[in-house]
Amino acid sequence: MPIVLLAAAAAEESPHDTGVHQVAALSARTAFVFMCLGLCWGTFTSTGWLRRLTGRQATRSSHMVFITLALGFATIHALAFLFMEDEHIAIADLVIPMHTDELTLAVGIVALEVMFAIALSNLAQRWLRQRLWLRLHRFGYVAVTLGVVHSVAGAMADGNLAALWMFGLAVAVPTVLVVALRFLPTRFLTGAGLLKVER
């Protein structure tokens, strides 16, 4: 009987790994919020909806702050797994998408790498043609979509889908609405009173 209890205790996650997992989960949720805020704010910037209130430079700078925070917390989320004791995770597992054959992890890696590629394109913006930079920047929609898929799949694997469902709906639904409005024709937005055409 004591051997069975020892085996069961060994199978449980150590308190250290539980703490690391909580840091990873919290940083992932925070990154998700800032990713959604950055996407919404980027939409506000590109459409000019906020320009009248704050000015273009202030709006663009705040968009950069949200995306930088999203990248920072997403990086903390990934790096937290390096500190697990019960399960060994190497740096290659966090950088190469299908290194571990886990699709959920691969989707998260691709989402983070796409976000970093967009951030690097911003640094090189003065050397890129505006059209090419804009095409690269639009991959942000892909990164957010992959981030949502990674979040849902990770929550299902951890058994936290119910909590994520409410949290995700509260953050993702407004984001999807703002992005959908961004792609609607101007005449529809004007007719609905969401956009004022200056004459």
Side-chain angles (χ1 to χ4, degrees), residues 158-191:
D158 288 346
N160 297 327
L161 187 60
L164 180 79
W165 192 251
M166 290 307 295
F167 171 78
L169 284 178
V171 176
V173 167
T175 304
V176 170
L177 178 64
V178 167
V179 171
L181 288 173
R182 190 249 184 276
F183 289 105
L184 287 174
T186 308
R187 61 179 165 24
F188 176 82
L189 295 173
T190 306

Side-chain angles (χ1 to χ4, degrees), residues 38 41-43 45-47 51 56-57 59-61 63-64 67 114-141 182:
W41 212 256
T43 301
T45 302
S46 65
T47 57
R51 195 174 304 148
R56 180 154 178 83
Q57 187 56 40
T59 308
R60 187 176 183 279
S61 297
H63 169 66
M64 294 294 290
I67 295 304
V114 169
M115 287 171 60
F116 271 115
I118 294 167
L120 290 174
S121 76
N122 281 344
L123 295 174
Q125 185 177 0
R126 72 173 65 163
W127 297 288
L128 296 173
R129 289 192 176 130
Q130 180 66 16
R131 186 175 287 173
L132 175 60
W133 176 82
L134 193 57
R135 280 189 195 140
L136 288 171
H137 209 77
R138 287 190 177 148
F139 274 98
Y141 297 114
R182 190 249 184 276

Side-chain angles (χ1 to χ4, degrees), residues 20-21 23-25 27 75-84 94:
V20 170
H21 198 271
V23 168
S27 60
T75 302
I76 290 169
H77 168 65
L79 293 178
F81 290 102
L82 294 175
F83 296 98
M84 300 284 257
L94 299 175

Side-chain angles (χ1 to χ4, degrees), residues 3-91:
I3 295 173
V4 173
L5 291 175
L6 284 173
E12 290 178 10
E13 229 178 39
S14 72
H16 176 268
D17 279 10
T18 302
V20 170
H21 198 271
Q22 288 173 349
V23 168
L26 180 61
S27 60
R29 291 177 186 128
T30 308
F32 184 78
V33 168
F34 282 117
M35 186 174 62
C36 289
L37 277 172
L39 182 64
C40 289
W41 212 256
T43 301
F44 294 150
T45 302
S46 65
T47 57
W49 291 343
L50 290 177
R51 195 174 304 148
R52 292 181 205 94
L53 298 174
T54 62
R56 180 154 178 83
Q57 187 56 40
T59 308
R60 187 176 183 279
S61 297
S62 52
H63 169 66
M64 294 294 290
V65 167
F66 289 142
I67 295 304
T68 302
L69 287 168
L71 277 170
F73 281 108
T75 302
I76 290 169
H77 168 65
L79 293 178
F81 290 102
L82 294 175
F83 296 98
M84 300 284 257
E85 289 180 346
D86 294 341
E87 185 179 348
H88 178 70
I89 296 177
I91 291 178

